[in-house]
Amino acid sequence: MILPWHATLTRKGQITLPKSIRERLDVEAGDRIEFIESEQGFLVVSAPRDIRSLRGIVGRLTKRVTIETMNRIEKMGRMPSSRRSARA
């Protein structure tokens, strides 16, 4: 369902998004919003975060992963060749 909403533009060119819109866009203070122009008007979406913002989110690895372990993990994710050909 499409519901209209409104916001007031300040002298500084800023707007406050209503809480319901912020929740639907899953944005909070400091997040970026994109305005995409189309023939029908503007589409408002939350901007993808820069990949660099994820730096340090996991912390430092305490144990290195060997190539053998990586290969084992990769094999676990593969489908058997008989199932792969049946899906193609």
Side-chain angles (χ1 to χ4, degrees):
M1 177 188 326
I2 299 176
L3 297 175
W5 61 274
H6 69 276
T8 303
L9 186 67
T10 69
R11 284 187 213 142
K12 292 183 178 183
Q14 300 172 336
I15 61 170
T16 299
L17 294 175
K19 183 179 179 183
S20 60
I21 301 298
R22 292 192 310 266
E23 289 173 347
R24 295 214 31 200
L25 288 171
D26 191 26
V27 294
E28 55 190 37
D31 287 347
R32 294 180 46 223
I33 307 281
E34 287 185 353
F35 297 86
I36 303 168
E37 189 172 6
S38 72
E39 291 179 10
Q40 293 80 28
F42 284 90
L43 176 64
V44 180
V45 296
S46 59
R49 291 186 173 97
D50 186 332
I51 190 74
R52 291 175 288 197
S53 70
L54 300 176
R55 183 177 183 186
I57 197 167
V58 175
R60 293 204 175 267
L61 294 176
T62 56
K63 181 180 177 184
R64 296 200 181 265
V65 178
T66 65
I67 296 292
E68 292 78 21
T69 302
M70 286 187 236
N71 289 336
R72 236 183 22 247
I73 292 169
E74 179 189 26
K75 286 179 185 175
M76 290 178 359
R78 290 186 191 163
M79 281 191 277
S81 58
S82 60
R83 290 186 65 201
R84 250 185 287 158
S85 60
R87 287 187 174 208

